[in-house]
């Protein structure tokens, strides 16, 4: 069981992993904590945004829209590999997912198929939205993939987790496809290499 990192420890962990971090407005106090608890945290979830353009993507993930209020994640990873921090605390990124998947993440075991949406993921996962159209054709540049692995590894390192604590939205909730264009197994291998 892990308490969420403070904002200071969160940004320090990212910078210590060699990431370029952009602080967006009042990210340290921007959250959805009034909707439920934040923590204990058990892992890191990666997403694609289905957007194009960093400025638009960051604004959307910070503010949300009429259907889903922001922040929509903790950080936005742009195609150039920068991490734009837009929230700290509970954010609207994971939604409901499978309790068996959460149990596997906590135990750091192989993930079962996601078959249910019965558990609040916004409470238990750090979330990074990664700028990509999510059509399987929009490229994932090397700096972006590297930053995704570094961001996940930074939080795993800070909490003493292994790469098994890193999942994709598609592994959490039935019907989700993100992130599309690479496998989460390959991303966990990248994270594992960084943690060695």
């Amino acid at each position: 069981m892990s308490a969420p990192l403070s904002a200071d420890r969160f940004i320090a962990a990212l910078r210590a992993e060699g990431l370029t971090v952009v602080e967006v407005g009042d990210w340290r106090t921007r959250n959805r904590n009034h909707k439920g608890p934040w923590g204990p945290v058990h892992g890191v979830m990666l997403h694609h945004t289905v957007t194009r353009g960093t400025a638009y993507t960051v604004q959307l993930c910070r503010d949300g829209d009429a259907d889903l209020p922001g922040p929509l994640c903790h950080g936005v990873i742009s195609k150039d590999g920068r991490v734009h921090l837009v929230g700290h605390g509970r954010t609207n990124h994971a939604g409901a997912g499978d309790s068996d998947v959460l149990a596997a993440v906590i135990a750091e075991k192989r993930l079962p198929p996601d078959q249910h949406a019965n558990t609040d993921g916004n409470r238990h996962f750090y979330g990074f939205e990664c700028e990509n159209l999510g059509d399987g054709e929009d490229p994932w540049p090397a700096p972006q993939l590297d930053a995704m692995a570094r961001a996940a590894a930074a939080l795993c390192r800070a909490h003493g987790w292994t790469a098994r604590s890193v999942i994709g939205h598609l592994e959490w909730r039935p019907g989700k496809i993100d992130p599309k264009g690479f496998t989460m197994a390959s991303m966990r291998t990248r994270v594992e290499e960084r943690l060695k």
Side-chain angles (χ1 to χ4, degrees):
M1 187 157 112
S2 292
L5 298 179
S6 68
D8 286 343
R9 287 189 62 211
F10 180 71
I11 193 170
L14 295 174
R15 287 178 170 153
E17 206 67 36
L19 288 160
T20 299
V21 179
V22 179
E23 298 184 69
V24 180
D26 57 350
W27 73 271
R28 290 168 181 267
T29 56
R30 193 162 183 79
N31 57 58
R32 304 282 299 159
N33 289 357
H34 64 286
K35 290 294 184 181
W38 164 231
V41 289
H42 300 296
V44 180
M45 191 176 294
L46 300 176
H47 307 260
H48 64 230
T49 59
V50 196
T51 59
R52 175 178 279 137
T54 300
Y56 169 75
T57 300
V58 170
Q59 181 179 357
L60 177 65
C61 289
R62 179 187 183 276
D63 298 336
D65 60 26
D67 294 327
L68 192 64
L72 304 183
C73 59
H74 298 96
V76 177
I77 302 178
S78 51
K79 286 191 173 285
D80 61 5
R82 292 180 296 160
V83 180
H84 304 258
L85 299 183
V86 296
H88 182 263
R90 182 185 178 91
T91 66
N92 270 339
H93 74 96
D98 195 309
S99 58
D100 293 334
V101 172
L102 181 61
V105 170
I106 293 169
E108 298 196 311
K109 295 190 173 180
R110 168 168 274 184
L111 298 178
D114 54 329
Q115 299 176 332
H116 308 285
N118 59 5
T119 301
D120 175 12
N122 294 334
R123 175 180 185 175
H124 295 299
F125 289 95
Y126 296 99
F128 290 97
E129 287 281 357
C130 306
E131 181 188 346
N132 191 277
L133 291 175
D135 58 5
E137 296 180 14
D138 191 16
W140 291 94
Q144 186 178 32
L145 289 171
D146 180 63
M148 292 162 69
R150 286 175 184 265
L155 297 176
C156 288
R157 196 183 307 283
H159 285 285
W161 298 333
T162 72
R164 287 193 180 267
S165 293
V166 181
I167 69 172
H169 201 195
L170 77 169
E171 297 172 304
W172 171 244
R173 183 180 174 99
K176 294 297 182 181
I177 64 166
D178 57 313
K180 187 173 184 179
F182 61 89
T183 67
M184 283 306 301
S186 69
M187 180 55 66
R188 282 187 283 271
T189 297
R190 286 173 177 263
V191 173
E192 189 175 1
E193 288 298 315
R194 287 217 56 84
L195 291 173
K196 284 182 180 174

